[in-house]
Amino acid sequence: MAGVAMAALALVPAVYLCVRAAEADAEAWGLLFRDRTWGLLGRTLGLAAAVTGCAALLALPLAWLTTRTDLPGRRLWTVLLCVPLAVPTFVSGYVLLAAFGVGGALEEPLTRWGLPVPPVYGFPGALLALTVSTYPYFFLALRAGLLSQDPAWLEGARSLGLTPARAFFRITVPLLRPAFASGALLVGLYVLSDFGAVALVQYDAFSRAIYVQYEGAYDRSYAALLGLALVSVTVGVLALELWLRGRAGYHRSAKGAARAVAPVSLRGWRVPALLLCGAVVAVGVALPVGVLVYWGVQGLSVESGPMLGPAWNSVSASMMGAVAAVVGALPLAFLAVRYPSRLTVALERVSYAGYALPPIVLALSLVFLGVQAVPFLYGTLVMLVLAYVVRFLPQAVGVVRASLLQLNPHLPEAAASLGQPPSAVLRRVTAPLLRPGLLAGAALVFLTAMKELPATLLLAPIGFETLATRVWGATAEGRFAEAAAPALLLMAVSTLGVGLLVSQEGRSSPG
């Protein structure tokens, strides 16, 4: 019943779109099938594929370096490599323009020194901004997969004479297939729904067209039709991911023991590994921080108002959303992995319905639900938490599912056969083995909820201001100096959350 309830909640945006689409006239349907719509769809799918590929290629070596090697300071690198999750995409786009755009802080020095200025408008800018913002989804999923792998598989391959490189690509990478699938799904659907980055770098994407229709109140029936078209694309992406995922099992060996893996010595590759991590952190962390510090210094005399209240609101609402999303993801992932059938797989797939839609559509659908069905919840913090759950549930489902696939089902069965009650089996066997995945899923939801904007603007209680809404309110009016301090605080709070995740991860897994 819990899985059915979560799936029903995830379908609320689709139901809202159907109600709106039913009001569409023949003219709106004609607009849906015009050439411009197909062009928007092609550009959006191309961007999603490019970002997904780049994020995967970037995250795999970073995840391996921070889990399986003697990379100096790998826990610190892990925290820093996750920090881009805390940067809203509209801030990432703004940072690129402020640094390399026309009149940007770095455009003139690079031109004077005869160095090329990176293209930041159109497809290149969207690709860079979204890759930097989304590769941590792959990174965290792959880390959880690597930490959950039984080292006996790799040791067996080495004992058969395989070189470290061949053993990695023939054993380790195939066993990461669930993590790759969940990461690709999250990144692809995130790109489909993003508006902030593509709008700032002037890339005409599908979600931008939907936002224009809703924000301008031109034709919300037509916007609903566009939203349903995006849902159809999501269904196609989910079907493709399901086909690529296959039916293979990836759980640990029968021993099921989580043993520490002897770190691989990088030797002469230590400097290139450090340069790779440093370059990614420089683009994803140092550049945004530098630009924001620059604007913060420029606006030292600007009164931005107290930030303790918005910071607490951001942390508390995001934490509640993260816990609720992980709890809701458990029955969906458990049913899909342990009792696979058309029904259970369909329930899991349905949970992704709200993720590919632009957040404003999701927010308006919950406003519709609150006004029509549960008016006593409308305008309360509960409605905002529900929005976070519907929006970010797939992040938790994907990571928890990948961890469940690597959990040998015979271990809980053996504990139950020894007379342990289900609660004891869950507490003493299942939960400790799933802990890395649960923490990774909670971290993903927490970090992305911290920067969620449209849902927070429309559904938060009156006077409930977060750091994201404070940043948006200032940047939307061109007050970049005033936005710098809350943006930096947003990154700092999120970094502390990632640090907590890594410390717990080290206690629970053989890192």
Side-chain angles (χ1 to χ4, degrees):
M1 290 301 297
V4 174
M6 293 307 301
L9 181 62
L11 280 176
V12 169
V15 173
Y16 167 77
L17 288 177
C18 290
V19 172
R20 281 291 185 184
E23 302 171 356
D25 54 19
E27 181 180 358
W29 282 98
L31 291 174
L32 179 65
F33 293 102
R34 60 180 176 171
D35 291 340
R36 182 176 181 273
T37 302
W38 295 108
L40 286 171
L41 186 57
R43 285 190 290 273
T44 304
L45 290 176
L47 178 63
V51 171
T52 301
C54 291
L57 291 175
L58 187 61
L60 179 59
L62 294 175
W64 182 76
L65 287 172
T66 56
T67 56
R68 294 293 181 86
T69 72
D70 61 350
L71 180 74
R74 57 180 182 170
R75 295 200 180 280
L76 176 60
W77 285 118
T78 300
V79 174
L80 293 176
L81 290 168
C82 291
V83 170
L85 278 176
V87 184
T89 55
F90 65 84
V91 172
S92 297
Y94 160 69
V95 166
L96 285 179
L97 297 181
F100 303 110
V102 178
L106 299 179
E107 184 204 23
E108 194 274 333
L110 290 175
T111 303
R112 186 173 63 249
W113 296 337
L115 299 175
V117 179
V120 293
Y121 293 98
F123 182 83
L127 177 62
L128 179 57
L130 288 169
T131 298
V132 171
S133 297
T134 59
Y135 82 83
Y137 293 127
F138 263 117
F139 177 69
L140 282 175
L142 292 173
R143 273 186 59 86
L146 286 168
L147 291 171
S148 300
Q149 278 188 13
D150 189 339
W153 294 108
L154 194 60
E155 293 168 357
R158 294 297 309 279
S159 69
L160 294 175
L162 292 182
T163 63
R166 292 186 66 187
F168 175 76
F169 285 106
R170 294 186 63 179
I171 302 299
T172 302
V173 172
L175 288 174
L176 289 174
R177 189 173 172 180
F180 273 112
S182 63
L185 200 59
L186 291 175
V187 171
L189 296 183
Y190 188 97
V191 175
L192 288 177
S193 68
D194 179 73
F195 168 76
V198 296
L200 285 175
V201 301
Q202 301 174 21
Y203 185 75
D204 204 12
F206 210 86
S207 60
R208 186 182 179 189
I210 297 176
Y211 263 87
V212 169
Q213 294 297 321
Y214 270 110
E215 288 290 326
Y218 297 120
D219 188 347
R220 293 199 170 182
S221 297
Y222 172 55
L225 292 177
L226 291 176
L228 284 176
L230 198 54
V231 170
S232 301
V233 174
T234 303
V235 171
V237 172
L238 293 172
L240 177 62
E241 187 270 343
L242 187 62
W243 177 73
L244 292 174
R245 176 195 297 174
R247 300 179 62 85
Y250 301 88
H251 54 72
R252 294 189 179 101
S253 63
K255 295 180 181 179
R259 298 185 286 107
V261 182
V264 176
S265 177
L266 292 174
R267 297 190 179 94
W269 288 96
R270 183 168 297 179
V271 172
L274 289 172
L275 288 176
L276 173 63
C277 294
V280 175
V281 170
V283 175
V285 181
L287 180 61
V289 170
V291 172
L292 292 173
V293 167
Y294 169 80
W295 279 106
V297 171
Q298 299 297 314
L300 286 177
S301 59
V302 177
E303 177 60 43
S304 60
M307 289 186 292
L308 181 59
W312 170 251
N313 291 341
S314 296
V315 171
S316 59
S318 300
M319 187 66 71
M320 287 187 285
V323 172
V326 170
V327 171
L330 276 171
L332 290 171
F334 185 81
L335 288 173
V337 172
R338 292 290 181 257
Y339 303 98
S341 67
R342 291 184 178 180
L343 176 60
T344 57
V345 171
L347 290 176
E348 182 211 2
R349 300 288 88 184
V350 164
S351 69
Y352 288 83
Y355 192 71
L357 289 173
I360 192 172
V361 178
L362 184 146
L364 288 172
S365 69
L366 289 178
V367 169
F368 173 79
L369 174 68
V371 173
Q372 299 294 329
V374 284
F376 56 92
L377 293 180
Y378 181 67
T380 68
L381 189 58
V382 174
M383 189 62 72
L384 179 60
V385 173
L386 284 178
Y388 290 163
V389 172
V390 175
R391 172 72 174 150
F392 305 120
L393 182 63
Q395 296 179 346
V397 170
V399 178
V400 172
R401 186 186 186 282
S403 297
L404 276 171
L405 282 169
Q406 294 185 344
L407 172 63
N408 194 324
H410 298 302
L411 296 177
E413 293 170 3
S417 69
L418 294 175
Q420 295 292 321
S423 58
V425 173
L426 176 64
R427 184 179 69 257
R428 301 178 61 181
V429 178
T430 305
L433 293 174
L434 289 180
R435 191 173 183 181
L438 296 177
L439 287 173
L444 282 173
V445 177
F446 175 81
L447 293 173
T448 47
M450 283 281 292
K451 59 184 182 179
E452 172 57 33
L453 185 66
T456 307
L457 288 172
L458 289 177
L459 295 171
I462 296 176
F464 190 88
E465 186 181 26
T466 66
L467 292 174
T469 59
R470 173 71 67 84
V471 173
W472 175 258
T475 55
E477 299 177 5
R479 295 179 280 113
F480 300 119
E482 185 177 330
L488 286 170
L489 182 57
L490 176 62
M491 293 180 63
V493 172
S494 299
T495 302
L496 292 175
V498 176
L500 177 62
L501 163 68
V502 174
S503 66
Q504 294 297 317
E505 181 183 71
R507 295 177 187 176
S508 58
S509 300

